[in-house]
Amino acid sequence: MCGIVGYIGTRVAQPLLLEGLKRLEYRGYDSAGMATVDAGRLSLTRAVGRVQNLEDRLGELGGFGGTVGLAHTRWATHGGVTEANAHPHRDGSGRIAVVHNGIIENYTVIRQYLEEKGHTFKSETDTEVLAVLIGELFDPEGGVDLESAVRAALREVTGAYAIAVICAAEPDTLVAARKGSPLMVGVGSGEYVVASDPAAIIAHTTQAFPVDDYHVVKLTRDGLRTSNLDNVEVTPKIMQLELDLEQIDLGQFQHYMLKEIYEQPRAIRLCCRGRIDAREGKVVLGGLAQYAKELVKSRRVILTAQGTALHSAMIGEYLLEDLAKIPAEVEYGSEFRYRNPIIEDGSVVIAISQSGETADTLAALMEAKERGALALGVINAVGSTIARETDAGVYLRVGPEIGVASTKAFTGQVAVLTMIALFMARRRFMAPDACARLMGELEQTPDKMERILEQDDAIRTLTEKYVERENWLFLGRGYNFPTALEGALKLKEISYIHAEGMPVVFIANKGPQYDKVMNNIEEVRSRGGHVIAVATEGDKDIGRVAEDVMWIPDTPDPLSPMLAVLPLQLMAYHAAVLRGHDVDKPRNLAKSVTVE
Ligand code: F6R
């Protein structure tokens, strides 16, 4: 969704805010804006398009002074992509500026109320309604300062928000608050950075705390005060951010997506480190230790997720049934929440999410939790909302994923689900040596991934051959049915190619469905289809039926999706670049969908 950055301290805010926005641009890139307070005056500007356009606009204006300010990069939800709809939004008096991530659900009622009081609106957004409401309640002479006005306004709204607010009449204050949308406060010395993501904080401090739901934080250069909506003071839990700048810099790569594809061998090593003991045939998942018994005795596992994470959930379903012999099913978070799902005793729900902020996945988890299920998470973003709402879980440890198209999170999710399945399998029916064998193979997966990445140039050349085709079909069976869906999703997301026609990409690894897939290939060929295959090294037959082959090393079938997806990721990446698209900022796609 959108990205928020706020700053209060002793340094000039503008460069810090711009740098923070660039780090958050992956969250939304329709439009951007900034406001600062300098010498009791509020300066505000906005621009449609990328953060660069905002920077150019600021250059034309001679730049903003001030050591308190806020900025926003928008992903439109209410109102089209126009300058008027971009954030920050001002109240009627022009003294207060607000940036907001989320959706104020009752904004039409509040807008009507404010219009009856004589207020007019310049945008179609829910955020402007909130800004005007705060302005209406702000009454310094009457003892209602900015913090109190924000609190009073938030008591009136329903929906989701992460907000930051500044005011020309209170030049030494920045107020932030949250319900449902992510927001963090970085604590520096004599300064604070507020952001929707630690990526915008880490350059300035490693000390930070997540703002909790219904909490309001008042920041001044002398300190901070956190309270709930009833104005009861609460103590924030400051933590150390486990993130370094190198992880979020592009380095030698042209795009985050390619960097993250290449990071997969290392990411999977980190993900599995200390968690598998192949010699002993043991899986050690510290995050689940407390609930091991409940998990092993569970009668049904529901995996819930969206998008790419849903594809890894589908692989998780196969793994749990195949290895742990436990009934498992996959549920779109967006559907589960609106059904009347039946949760029997002994049900476990596993929410899978890279960001840990996907609204639909979160809602599904809460629904299952309320109905008595044990709520587990397979999450990448540490301390994210879903991670905090689960009873227990396993972090991916693959590092921050910035490219909008999910890559290393997918293989990380599959690796974690494999470990969870083995953890349960070993305690249920699986023989220790069978378990140990698979673990040994899992340990080999990063080396095998490295071998696949060596084919990058060859995959680029192959993609060039087909890049002008408007329709592609991805086919795979068994464990690689979800991999085929993921390959198609990757291509669609960043190349805008309709991935359901021809050429046909088959995942034809040497698994139990190999013969069936070979038959399917013959059928496609007999209808004139161009076959590109992902095949197992050493397969002598595939060259006879496929025009082009991308190779993966041999591996047990349950582990094959983690390898088979890599050529598909590279292919999607090259197709997008060859078509001249901005891979890290695909149109109409946001990295994290924090609204329904
Ligand atoms: C695909 C993609 C999206 C996400 C989906 C879930 O490349 O990025 O489909 O997978 O929005 O996001 P998370 O995993 O953050 O819950």
Side-chain angles (χ1 to χ4, degrees):
M1 289 325 304
C2 315
I4 289 176
V5 205
Y7 175 78
I8 181 160
T10 49
R11 294 187 276 167
V12 177
Q14 178 185 308
L16 267 108
L17 295 174
L18 272 176
E19 185 228 274
L21 279 190
K22 285 180 189 160
R23 296 220 180 267
L24 297 186
E25 205 173 3
Y26 76 94
R27 297 183 71 94
Y29 30 82
D30 285 345
S31 47
M34 184 185 292
T36 66
V37 172
D38 190 20
R41 256 196 66 227
L42 185 88
S43 308
L44 186 147
T45 192
R46 300 173 293 200
V48 167
R50 303 288 157 86
V51 172
Q52 187 56 52
N53 298 359
L54 174 70
E55 191 168 1
D56 295 346
R57 176 70 56 84
L58 282 159
E60 287 156 22
L61 295 171
F64 287 174
T67 54
V68 57
L70 36 82
H72 189 263
T73 173
R74 177 171 187 244
W75 189 249
T77 56
H78 281 62
V81 181
T82 62
E83 203 173 304
N85 287 339
H87 301 210
H89 288 282
R90 265 174 292 219
D91 74 322
S93 74
R95 293 180 296 180
I96 292 172
V98 178
V99 289
H100 165 223
N101 184 6
I103 291 178
I104 306 294
E105 282 165 6
N106 59 341
Y107 85 105
T108 39
V109 182
I110 300 175
R111 184 172 168 142
Q112 212 178 344
Y113 159 79
L114 291 166
E115 276 169 347
E116 277 161 18
K117 288 194 143 248
H119 290 284
T120 55
F121 292 86
K122 299 182 183 73
S123 79
E124 305 153 79
T125 67
D126 49 342
T127 307
E128 190 186 8
V129 172
L130 182 60
V132 173
L133 180 62
I134 294 170
E136 166 73 18
L137 297 164
F138 180 61
D139 177 14
E141 286 81 34
V144 183
D145 64 1
L146 187 63
E147 183 197 5
S148 315
V150 168
R151 185 178 294 108
L154 293 180
R155 277 203 223 105
E156 302 304 322
V157 307
T158 56
Y161 55 80
I163 57 165
V165 189
I166 54 172
C167 175
E170 252 185 69
D172 301 315
T173 305
L174 189 154
V175 177
R178 158 205 161 125
K179 197 237 140 181
S181 297
L183 196 68
M184 284 205 126
V185 178
V187 182
S189 108
E191 62 179 12
Y192 298 97
V193 184
V194 178
S196 40
D197 187 316
I201 295 177
I202 196 71
H204 309 291
T205 176
T206 56
Q207 302 292 299
F209 65 90
V211 179
D212 279 331
D213 276 352
Y214 301 109
H215 282 187
V216 178
V217 188
K218 177 181 179 177
L219 302 165
T220 67
R221 291 176 190 82
D222 302 324
L224 64 88
R225 177 178 190 272
T226 307
S227 53
N228 63 18
L229 289 186
D230 296 324
N231 201 11
V232 176
E233 207 163 328
V234 283
T235 313
K237 282 191 213 93
I238 297 177
M239 59 185 201
Q240 177 82 16
L241 292 178
E242 304 284 339
L243 183 70
D244 57 56
L245 269 183
E246 198 188 311
Q247 285 178 297
I248 53 175
D249 277 340
L250 259 182
Q252 72 198 65
F253 291 95
Q254 207 192 337
H255 295 103
Y256 280 107
M257 181 180 178
L258 192 62
K259 177 178 184 250
E260 287 157 9
I261 290 175
Y262 269 80
E263 275 172 359
Q264 288 175 106
R266 184 164 176 267
I268 300 305
R269 272 186 204 109
L270 287 172
C271 173
C272 296
R273 181 171 293 164
R275 288 172 166 168
I276 43 183
D277 182 345
R279 269 203 328 205
E280 296 280 320
K282 262 170 62 183
V283 179
V284 185
L285 296 173
L288 298 184
Q290 215 188 325
Y291 292 96
K293 237 190 225 152
E294 263 176 276
L295 186 58
V296 172
K297 288 196 173 152
S298 61
R299 301 227 197 116
R300 188 166 74 123
V301 177
I302 301 160
L303 300 127
T304 187
Q306 294 289 118
T308 288
L310 189 96
H311 296 148
S312 61
M314 290 168 78
I315 297 169
E317 178 185 15
Y318 288 36
L319 287 162
L320 288 165
E321 292 189 339
D322 186 14
L323 306 180
K325 311 279 180 257
I326 178 141
E329 65 204 62
V330 174
E331 294 275 0
Y332 274 98
S334 49
E335 291 304 314
F336 186 77
R337 62 187 301 185
Y338 291 117
R339 293 213 319 269
N340 196 1
I342 294 159
I343 304 281
E344 298 130 335
D345 269 1
S347 295
V348 173
V349 64
I350 305 182
I352 306 166
S353 172
Q354 187 287 125
S355 61
E357 302 293 348
T358 299
D360 288 318
T361 309
L362 173 65
L365 176 90
M366 300 307 281
E367 184 70 42
K369 209 169 126 177
E370 262 171 41
R371 290 170 187 243
L374 173 65
L376 304 181
V378 172
I379 310 291
N380 195 33
V382 177
S384 54
T385 310
I386 301 180
R388 288 193 283 147
E389 289 297 343
T390 51
D391 297 312
V394 184
Y395 280 121
L396 302 186
R397 302 203 304 223
V398 299
E401 190 182 70
I402 293 173
V404 171
S406 188
T407 53
K408 64 176 179 174
F410 174 75
T411 44
Q413 285 155 356
V414 178
V416 168
L417 290 165
T418 308
M419 289 188 279
I420 294 178
L422 286 169
F423 177 87
M424 294 173 76
R426 181 65 196 88
R427 286 163 178 79
R428 288 163 70 93
F429 309 105
M430 204 171 186
D433 53 337
C435 209
R437 240 190 339 267
L438 214 50
M439 283 176 201
E441 292 283 354
L442 180 57
E443 280 181 326
Q444 304 289 314
T445 298
D447 295 348
K448 292 179 181 176
M449 286 176 153
E450 268 159 11
R451 281 201 348 239
I452 298 170
L453 295 175
E454 284 166 16
Q455 294 170 66
D456 189 7
D457 286 344
I459 293 174
R460 186 179 194 280
T461 310
L462 180 164
T463 312
E464 253 173 279
K465 234 168 100 176
Y466 300 99
V467 73
E468 296 305 331
R469 303 299 175 97
E470 285 308 321
N471 296 296
W472 297 53
L473 186 66
F474 285 72
L475 297 175
R477 305 187 66 162
Y479 275 105
N480 284 307
F481 166 56
T483 317
L485 297 181
E486 176 58 10
L489 178 66
K490 284 290 90 80
L491 192 74
K492 284 189 267 199
E493 277 181 328
I494 54 173
S495 305
Y496 323 126
I497 297 173
H498 176 231
E500 260 122 14
M502 308 286 169
V504 189
V505 181
F506 274 96
I507 303 171
N509 62 310
K510 282 268 185 185
Q513 278 90 15
Y514 178 77
D515 291 339
K516 295 199 184 327
V517 172
M518 289 299 265
N519 288 336
N520 297 148
I521 293 180
E522 294 288 6
E523 286 167 45
V524 166
R525 267 170 50 89
S526 64
R527 285 163 185 79
H530 296 281
V531 173
I532 306 164
V534 175
T536 306
E537 284 171 0
D539 180 346
K540 299 218 167 48
D541 299 324
I542 195 79
R544 192 174 45 79
V545 290
E547 254 166 77
D548 289 287
V549 183
M550 301 182 281
W551 299 102
I552 59 169
D554 194 15
T555 199
D557 199 42
L559 305 183
S560 60
M562 272 187 278
L563 299 184
V565 77
L566 262 66
L568 307 183
Q569 294 170 344
L570 283 170
M571 209 170 169
Y573 173 80
H574 290 307
V577 172
L578 288 163
R579 286 178 158 234
H581 300 311
D582 186 343
V583 170
D584 285 337
K585 299 183 182 66
R587 68 178 184 231
N588 301 334
L589 261 191
K591 177 77 182 152
S592 161
V593 186
T594 53
V595 292
E596 275 186 57

